[in-house]
Amino acid sequence: MTTTNRIMLVDGMALLFRAFYATAMSNYYMINSKGMPTNGVYGMLKHLFTAIDTYQPTHVICCWDMGSKTFRNDLFPDYKANRSSPPEELIPQFDLAKEVVESLDIPNVGTVGYEADDCMGTLSRAYSEHSQVFILTGDQDMLQLLEPNISVVLLKKGYGNYAQYEESSFYEEKGITPQQMVDLKALMGDSSDNYPGVRGIGEKTALKLLMQHETIEGILENIDQLTKGQRAKIQQDLDMLHLSRKLARINCEADVDCSLEDALFFIDENRMANKFNELEFKNWQKNIIGS
């Protein structure tokens, strides 16, 4: 199926955090004359423009978390409870980032109760029926969304370095399908999101079990074929295994929508220049948009 639309869904949270910490390590917060730190937003824009230059999308949408509580916290109150509060220099940059994205006429999308991941999952499913979708993120969890018209572009160190994944090559590389990524995380848990999966089962064992039995259901149906230790661990943590799968799966039915008309990528140069100058971004022509 050929398609002319190339839609880039941007994980705003991932870009902002990555850019902030890259310079915060050396206490370089770029505080302007109004006392506003801008290092995260500046770096995020550099990531954004570099990716736009590389992938040449026709449409761009930026997705955000809206508050720290989501439906996953209702399922499991300790979800992400291990995360510390963001540094005080980052806090004002959340709203500032959205403001700057808006000045580029790029829609900001997010909905209370869902993560940015869920918004990207929902929109990618809707658009991929008729368009090529690129998901720009730093989060490996997004690999579960791979489909024939959906690519995942993972940011690597520095600017302009990406690991691009396609559904067609994913299986050869990982040995499992994108859909099996959910069951993989359910088995091994996710320390960064603070849910345990099955205690004592790591990535290596989880991959082996999924290659043999395909799904969690397949593993449970053949539980007598497992080693005594594996069987004991799974039976002991069975409830957590099922709960972890609910936490790991990106919800592709979040209450979000964005018309492609609104997402058409076209920058009003004056509006952008006014915003960047107002924030006292230095050398932005060269450093951010590369012109």
Side-chain angles (χ1 to χ4, degrees):
M1 172 169 125
T2 55
T3 169
T4 49
N5 285 343
R6 292 168 64 82
I7 302 169
M8 181 173 277
L9 298 176
V10 178
D11 185 342
M13 303 305 289
L15 268 64
L16 183 63
F17 272 90
R18 178 174 287 251
F20 176 83
Y21 285 109
T23 50
M25 305 283 283
S26 49
N27 287 333
Y28 185 57
Y29 297 114
M30 294 173 62
I31 294 166
N32 65 20
S33 66
K34 299 177 193 76
M36 172 67 84
T38 59
N39 64 318
V41 176
Y42 192 96
M44 176 194 138
L45 289 168
K46 189 170 175 178
H47 278 303
L48 178 65
F49 276 97
T50 306
I52 286 169
D53 192 44
T54 305
Y55 288 95
Q56 298 288 310
T58 53
H59 301 73
V60 181
I61 296 162
C62 201
C63 296
W64 300 94
D65 294 351
M66 302 294 277
S68 57
K69 295 278 182 279
T70 68
F71 73 92
R72 292 180 181 86
N73 298 98
D74 297 335
L75 292 170
F76 185 56
D78 283 341
Y79 181 72
K80 288 192 178 178
N82 55 338
R83 303 270 176 111
S84 53
S85 311
E88 60 180 280
E89 294 86 358
L90 176 56
I91 293 168
Q93 296 192 61
F94 290 120
D95 286 341
L96 188 63
K98 291 181 196 139
E99 218 177 277
V100 172
V101 165
E102 197 184 312
S103 77
L104 303 172
D105 293 308
I106 294 172
N108 288 305
V109 171
T111 187
V112 174
Y114 294 94
E115 293 180 43
D117 295 11
D118 303 312
C119 299
M120 288 185 282
T122 302
L123 294 175
S124 66
R125 289 284 187 271
Y127 299 146
S128 65
E129 288 174 28
H130 49 71
S131 305
Q132 182 64 43
V133 179
F134 298 89
I135 295 173
L136 180 67
T137 181
D139 187 352
Q140 299 241 3
D141 292 353
M142 306 304 281
L143 295 171
Q144 63 181 270
L145 295 173
L146 288 169
E147 282 193 351
N149 265 0
I150 301 174
S151 308
V152 172
V153 178
L154 291 179
L155 295 160
K156 295 177 78 177
K157 206 172 161 83
Y159 291 94
N161 301 318
Y162 310 107
Q164 185 176 338
Y165 290 89
E166 311 291 339
E167 187 191 46
S168 52
S169 55
F170 184 84
Y171 183 79
E172 292 152 37
E173 193 175 325
K174 299 278 189 188
I176 57 173
T177 65
Q179 294 74 26
Q180 284 175 297
M181 287 284 289
V182 180
D183 286 13
L184 178 70
K185 283 195 65 178
L187 285 159
M188 60 185 266
D190 185 333
S191 56
S192 75
D193 285 343
N194 204 42
Y195 58 88
V198 177
R199 283 165 301 178
I201 288 195
E203 184 172 17
K204 207 168 156 189
T205 305
L207 274 169
K208 192 173 155 196
L209 291 173
L210 288 171
M211 285 173 187
Q212 286 170 334
H213 305 293
E214 292 190 3
T215 60
I216 286 169
E217 285 73 20
I219 293 167
L220 296 177
E221 280 162 22
N222 296 285
I223 200 155
D224 52 344
Q225 291 178 28
L226 273 50
T227 67
K228 194 176 163 193
Q230 289 167 352
R231 197 159 58 231
K233 286 169 188 166
I234 288 173
Q235 284 168 335
Q236 190 180 334
D237 275 341
L238 198 54
D239 289 346
M240 183 46 82
L241 174 62
H242 289 302
L243 177 57
S244 293
R245 178 154 63 169
K246 286 180 184 163
L247 299 172
R249 179 174 281 120
I250 290 170
N251 186 323
C252 293
E253 289 170 15
D255 185 19
V256 287
D257 191 23
C258 180
S259 81
L260 285 186
E261 204 179 326
D262 290 340
L264 198 61
F265 182 64
F266 179 78
I267 286 179
D268 177 330
E269 304 275 342
N270 286 338
R271 191 176 177 211
M272 174 178 74
N274 289 339
K275 191 69 190 170
F276 288 5
N277 292 332
E278 176 201 322
L279 292 170
E280 301 167 25
F281 284 166
K282 294 190 175 65
N283 302 324
W284 60 264
Q285 285 96 336
K286 181 161 125 316
N287 289 342
I288 292 180
I289 60 176
S291 66

